[in-house]
Amino acid sequence: MDLGSLAIAVLSAVVYSMSMYVKKHLNPDNPQSFDRVKFATTVIWGVLIGIILDMSGVPINEQSVEEQFLIYAGLIALTENIIKAVVRALRR
């Protein structure tokens, strides 16, 4: 397993999670406090995405760290939103 790729996925998850917190915390209509569970869940998704991409043979070569960072952050956001939508639909 490529630990560098896993580290980038985790870092992407942390930055994504913190950016969403700041965005919601600064919302004047409905400010949100820091939620450790949401933060931990996002980091876990980052780890899982990094492991899955590494094990599936997706080539992670000498591409720039910025490109990998954006790809991981996008995948984390996409999977999080899909799962939230499914959970909300099932609760109805």
Side-chain angles (χ1 to χ4, degrees):
M1 178 176 293
D2 181 16
L3 294 180
S5 297
L6 183 59
I8 292 170
V10 171
L11 179 62
S12 300
V14 169
V15 171
Y16 169 75
S17 182
M18 293 305 294
S19 69
M20 293 305 292
Y21 163 71
V22 169
K23 179 183 103 174
K24 291 181 179 184
H25 181 70
L26 295 177
N27 182 354
D29 299 327
N30 188 16
Q32 180 183 23
S33 59
F34 184 76
D35 186 342
R36 287 185 227 147
V37 174
K38 284 184 181 180
F39 179 76
T41 302
T42 305
V43 171
I44 290 168
W45 275 117
V47 170
L48 291 175
I49 288 170
I51 290 170
I52 291 168
L53 288 177
D54 186 61
M55 291 175 63
S56 67
V58 172
I60 300 173
N61 48 30
E62 296 300 318
Q63 293 176 344
S64 70
V65 171
E66 295 87 6
E67 289 174 352
Q68 290 180 39
F69 185 85
L70 291 173
I71 290 167
Y72 288 137
L75 286 170
I76 291 164
L78 181 64
T79 56
E80 181 182 25
N81 288 333
I82 290 170
I83 290 169
K84 283 181 181 179
V86 169
V87 168
R88 288 177 183 154
L90 293 174
R91 285 185 181 168
R92 288 186 173 186

